[in-house]
Amino acid sequence: MARSRYRIALILDYISIEYSHRLFDSVSEACRENNYELLVFPIGTLHSVRTAFGYQEASITSLITTNSVDGIIISTGVQLHFVSKSEMISYIRGFTPIPVISIAVDMPGCPSITSDPYLAYRAIFDNLIDVQHCKKFAILGLRSSSAEIRIRRNVIHRILEEKKLTAENYTYFRMSFDYLQVLKDLDTYALSTDGKIEFDAIIAFNDELAYAATEFVKSNGLRIPEDVQIVGFDSLDQSEYNNPSITSVDQHVDEHGKRAVEMLTAIFNNEEFEQNVSLTNTAVFRESTSRVPYPESFKNREACTIKMETNKELYSRNVVSDLYFRTAQVQKVMNYYSQTQFDMSVDQLKTRLNSDLRDFGIKAAAVVLYESPIEQTIPFDYFNLPHRASIFCAFDESSGYDSEILPERIKFNPNERIVPDGIYDFSEGGNIVVALYHNTLQYGYVIFRPDNHDDFFVYDFIMKIVSSLVSSIFSYAQVSSEKSKFHKKYKELDIVANTDELTGLYNRRGLFDFGKTTLQFSKAMNQSGLIIYCDMDGLKKINDNFGHEAGDCAIIAESIILKGNFRANDIIARIGGDEFVIISPGMTVEAFEKIQTLIKNDCELWTEKNQSKYRLSVSMGYVKFPSEKVGYQITPLLSEADANLYVEKRNKKAKEREKAN
């Protein structure tokens, strides 16, 4: 079904990170103003080395096709930490012919919105050097090949040269993205200098590094800004209310998102527009670089703003309130995790999942499962989306659909549409798509619409729990299925291993396996019976005179006669070419003699009816169990029955000779 509204895909790294969150909010607002649908794809970072299976998150971009999306906005800056620019260009081309807007990095052949930090950094260094009189700088860079990081580094080096500072005036550190690791690295540096911090200003390439630097400086007994001044980048909300507040660089992320939507609008309307937009960053001066008061001239300076007055008391109250709320949410998530740590069936999960997601303020959700899990053992850029999937469970307060009311499993092709029509209302804003995976296995994906955009860390946690639940339940179901197949196969193999191929009776192995069990049961029941040893008469002559095919026919006929005259619970086995054994619990000698007569008559009847050229007959000897000497032991009982059989055969031959004479 054709869409009545344009749909935009926003590709981010992690929705819970403030930078991406702010970009999402700005794009979402612009989409609402233009009556566009928005799908958000948090894919982590391509080729990331920080998480073992983080590459699995990128699978959801395979849903971005001309069938599902009209335009794409991608935050390229956050993706270039572990991939090269050429690799990123190739990745973007994979979405052709869907138009793509790049945010943060200029991508050839792709409309781009970038930032220019020169004027902001120039204002910051003018203050640090000329006003605050800083002489030694620590530059906290990042271990990344990102073009954004490279631009910041080059701009700072350029300004330091312009300010006539040499390499003796600054030290460049390559830091990780992990807050605790940054603190550890800074502590290692302090140990190498015997605790003496030799710089009086720290320039961090993002605000998180600046927060770590603040903690490091304070822990070493120094004051900010009196002893060390600190600068961040991104101007996150926390920087304004930190103690002291952190001077930073504002990239105007809100403007990035708005401009990106405007570019796509021009493309949709076939209008001309500026292909590459560079936004000037702004230096936001706060307490961390104000050992000497800022000069009045800074208030009117280009790309410069001063924010010294903040209502920290109000912020503190909000932080406490927010902390209480988040603690409650985390506790709720942990309780949910504990509640789901039991063996659930697929049907049980399907029944409760909708209500569970509603409990966390999710207004709509669709859990889509592939026909079979897909194993992805190595990092990838492009995921081969399967052609068969189904709605496991779904609900949407806007569309009115609820899989608990309509439990039929709906199958569809995810290459043609993200979900079947009538299930999910994409016209409502803030829809997020996440991969449903566990370790190396892809199970499907989830689309959901949260009520509160401030709780993405909670939603991220919930989706990981859902992934774990789906994985464990379907893995258990698969193991159970495989176990059932194994037992069935084992049973089939066991039957083959214990069955005589020609007659279908037990073979020698089957006789001993099941015969021992039968005798043990008889012993437990204090039950007596007979073991009967049979030998076909003249089978060798039949084979010699009429061929082995005739001999096989005689063996099969004899087995049918034996089965027809003994009970179903008797163990009947063919243990050699012409030898049979029957273990018959509860059988008496009198009953056996009657059966022996019936078998003799059946053999004669078969010979007559089949007009056989040979005579079918069998000799039989028996032994009672339990024996006074060996009790219920199968091997000596068989030997005794065999011996009695040959006595029977000698007597039979003697009678035949007397009859012939």
Side-chain angles (χ1 to χ4, degrees):
M1 186 176 69
R3 291 187 301 278
S4 59
R5 302 163 62 180
Y6 288 113
R7 182 181 296 165
I8 292 176
L10 173 61
I11 301 177
L12 302 170
D13 53 351
Y14 304 100
I15 200 70
S16 56
I17 293 177
E18 186 175 335
Y19 169 84
S20 296
H21 191 174
R22 286 164 62 177
L23 182 60
F24 163 65
D25 283 343
S26 64
V27 172
S28 181
E29 178 62 29
C31 284
R32 272 195 298 273
E33 292 174 357
N34 287 276
N35 199 29
Y36 296 158
E37 296 176 355
L38 175 63
L39 280 178
V40 183
F41 294 81
I43 66 170
T45 49
L46 297 174
H47 298 191
S48 173
V49 296
R50 287 185 282 178
T51 55
F53 302 104
Y55 64 88
Q56 297 279 38
E57 297 175 18
S59 65
I60 51 175
T61 57
S62 60
L63 294 166
I64 301 176
T65 67
T66 54
N67 294 324
S68 59
V69 165
D70 301 294
I72 301 170
I73 299 171
I74 182 167
S75 180
T76 50
V78 297
Q79 294 300 334
L80 289 172
H81 296 303
F82 305 106
V83 297
S84 66
K85 190 171 182 178
S86 61
E87 289 174 322
M88 196 66 212
I89 293 170
S90 176
Y91 182 76
I92 290 174
R93 286 173 180 165
F95 295 111
T96 305
I98 307 173
V100 178
I101 308 298
S102 169
I103 287 183
V105 179
D106 179 17
M107 289 289 167
C110 175
S112 305
I113 302 170
T114 58
S115 295
D116 183 357
Y118 175 78
L119 292 178
Y121 268 139
R122 179 68 198 221
I124 286 171
F125 276 97
D126 283 348
N127 171 64
L128 291 174
I129 297 171
D130 301 334
V131 179
Q132 308 300 328
H133 306 296
C134 296
K135 300 183 183 301
K136 299 279 284 187
F137 299 88
I139 313 297
L140 302 189
L142 288 164
R143 298 190 188 109
S144 168
S145 59
S146 168
E148 272 195 305
I149 300 302
R150 188 166 58 253
I151 289 171
R152 291 173 203 175
R153 183 173 63 246
N154 292 341
V155 166
I156 288 175
H157 285 171
R158 173 186 167 188
I159 293 172
L160 290 173
E161 289 179 356
E162 292 172 352
K163 303 295 287 185
K164 308 298 183 183
L165 296 181
T166 65
E168 295 179 355
N169 296 103
Y170 62 89
T171 302
Y172 187 85
F173 297 87
R174 287 171 59 86
M175 314 302 288
S176 74
F177 288 85
D178 181 80
Y179 180 89
L180 295 178
Q181 184 61 47
V182 171
L183 282 177
K184 184 177 179 181
D185 290 344
L186 289 173
D187 287 338
T188 300
Y189 162 78
L191 287 173
S192 70
T193 60
D194 296 326
K196 182 180 180 182
I197 298 177
E198 299 177 338
F199 35 79
D200 48 14
I202 300 175
I203 313 298
F205 275 23
N206 64 32
D207 282 356
E208 286 85 354
L209 288 176
Y211 305 151
T214 300
E215 178 66 23
F216 167 72
V217 169
K218 288 181 177 180
S219 67
N220 280 273
L222 299 176
R223 300 167 300 165
I224 304 171
E226 290 81 3
D227 301 314
V228 179
Q229 309 210 22
I230 295 177
V231 175
F233 195 100
D234 283 334
S235 196
L236 302 180
D237 290 343
Q238 182 179 333
S239 297
E240 183 173 355
Y241 299 102
N242 200 65
N243 188 24
S245 57
I246 304 296
T247 293
S248 189
V249 176
D250 188 353
Q251 297 189 77
H252 303 293
V253 177
D254 295 348
E255 187 67 16
H256 281 69
K258 178 182 176 182
R259 289 289 189 95
V261 174
E262 289 176 356
M263 286 181 170
L264 284 177
T265 300
I267 292 173
F268 296 156
N269 296 331
N270 293 315
E271 298 171 350
E272 292 187 0
F273 64 97
E274 186 179 355
Q275 294 286 314
N276 295 289
V277 174
S278 179
L279 300 179
T280 300
N281 295 168
T282 299
V284 183
F285 288 102
R286 299 191 179 100
E287 295 170 339
S288 66
T289 56
S290 63
R291 180 172 57 210
V292 176
Y294 298 120
E296 286 293 320
S297 59
F298 272 45
K299 293 181 179 179
N300 300 317
R301 182 167 174 166
E302 183 182 3
C304 176
T305 184
I306 299 175
K307 287 188 176 181
M308 295 292 289
E309 296 181 3
T310 58
N311 191 339
K312 291 189 178 183
E313 183 180 347
L314 176 61
Y315 177 74
S316 297
R317 289 200 298 269
N318 290 337
V319 166
V320 171
S321 175
D322 184 59
L323 181 61
Y324 177 81
F325 175 75
R326 293 203 170 199
T327 300
Q329 285 289 76
V330 170
Q331 186 62 50
K332 186 176 179 180
V333 172
M334 295 303 296
N335 289 339
Y336 177 61
Y337 178 76
S338 299
Q339 293 168 13
T340 56
Q341 296 306 295
F342 66 92
D343 292 335
M344 261 191 293
S345 68
V346 173
D347 289 338
Q348 284 176 318
L349 176 62
K350 186 176 181 180
T351 300
R352 67 171 293 171
L353 199 50
N354 283 357
S355 59
D356 288 344
L357 295 177
R358 282 189 175 103
D359 284 345
F360 286 99
I362 292 177
K363 296 299 183 182
V367 180
V368 177
L369 297 183
Y370 303 136
E371 186 176 56
S372 300
I374 301 169
E375 188 162 24
Q376 297 288 133
T377 57
I378 58 176
F380 56 85
D381 290 337
Y382 305 101
F383 176 69
N384 188 18
L385 194 67
H387 291 270
R388 293 184 179 89
S390 61
I391 298 293
F392 179 69
C393 63
F395 68 92
D396 190 335
E397 297 179 2
S398 296
S399 71
Y401 180 85
D402 193 325
S403 58
E404 292 185 22
I405 300 173
L406 300 169
E408 181 183 357
R409 191 102 171 232
I410 302 173
K411 298 181 179 181
F412 67 102
N413 183 352
N415 292 276
E416 296 176 352
R417 46 191 173 164
I418 296 178
V419 293
D421 298 332
I423 291 177
Y424 199 97
D425 184 3
F426 290 98
S427 64
E428 296 290 334
N431 301 293
I432 302 169
V433 187
V434 295
L436 196 60
Y437 70 92
H438 186 71
N439 292 347
T440 61
L441 290 176
Q442 285 277 343
Y443 289 92
Y445 52 92
V446 181
I447 306 172
F448 68 101
R449 183 168 61 250
D451 182 39
N452 188 346
H453 289 180
D454 292 329
D455 286 340
F456 282 122
F457 81 101
V458 172
Y459 300 130
D460 185 51
F461 198 174
I462 292 169
M463 291 306 154
K464 283 180 170 55
I465 293 175
V466 171
S467 290
S468 181
L469 283 173
V470 170
S471 170
S472 60
I473 289 173
F474 280 86
S475 294
Y476 176 77
Q478 186 176 17
V479 168
S480 298
S481 176
E482 292 298 323
K483 186 176 180 181
S484 177
K485 291 178 183 177
F486 172 78
H487 282 304
K488 182 180 179 183
K489 190 67 176 177
Y490 178 81
K491 188 175 181 181
E492 292 172 353
L493 292 173
D494 189 55
I495 291 172
V496 170
N498 290 289
T499 302
D500 175 60
E501 186 178 0
L502 180 63
T503 63
L505 302 175
Y506 289 119
N507 57 18
R508 179 178 288 275
R509 177 178 175 179
L511 172 69
F512 278 87
D513 285 350
F514 295 100
K516 285 180 181 179
T517 302
T518 299
L519 290 172
Q520 288 171 358
F521 184 76
S522 296
K523 181 179 180 180
M525 298 293 292
N526 196 26
Q527 186 180 35
S528 61
L530 300 181
I531 291 181
I532 304 157
Y533 213 112
C534 309
D535 185 83
M536 291 180 64
D537 298 324
L539 180 61
K540 186 176 184 305
K541 290 182 179 180
I542 295 173
N543 287 329
D544 292 344
N545 296 330
F546 304 103
H548 286 278
E549 187 176 343
D552 289 347
C553 183
I555 292 169
I556 293 170
E558 194 63 63
S559 70
I560 293 172
I561 290 171
L562 291 174
K563 283 193 291 185
N565 284 281
F566 285 97
R567 299 165 301 180
N569 64 321
D570 292 333
I571 303 298
I572 306 173
R574 178 189 175 216
I575 62 171
D578 57 0
E579 295 176 316
F580 298 85
V581 171
I582 299 98
I583 300 177
S584 182
M587 179 71 71
T588 63
V589 174
E590 293 78 12
F592 166 65
E593 289 175 346
K594 292 179 181 178
I595 290 173
Q596 192 174 22
T597 299
L598 293 173
I599 290 172
K600 178 182 177 182
N601 294 338
D602 285 345
C603 288
E604 291 174 351
L605 184 62
W606 184 90
T607 302
E608 180 183 345
K609 283 190 173 183
N610 288 280
Q611 297 179 350
S612 176
K613 296 177 181 180
Y614 53 84
R615 179 171 167 264
L616 187 67
S617 68
V618 63
S619 298
M620 310 176 77
Y622 67 88
V623 65
K624 295 179 182 179
F625 64 82
S627 163
E628 291 182 2
K629 294 181 180 179
V630 299
Y632 290 90
Q633 297 181 53
I634 188 170
T635 300
L637 286 172
L638 284 173
S639 297
E640 189 175 345
D642 187 21
N644 292 338
L645 165 66
Y646 279 97
V647 172
E648 173 66 18
K649 285 182 78 74
R650 283 197 301 271
N651 293 337
K652 195 173 186 179
K653 288 180 180 179
K655 289 179 182 179
E656 288 176 353
R657 284 196 297 269
E658 288 178 6
K659 189 176 180 179
N661 293 332

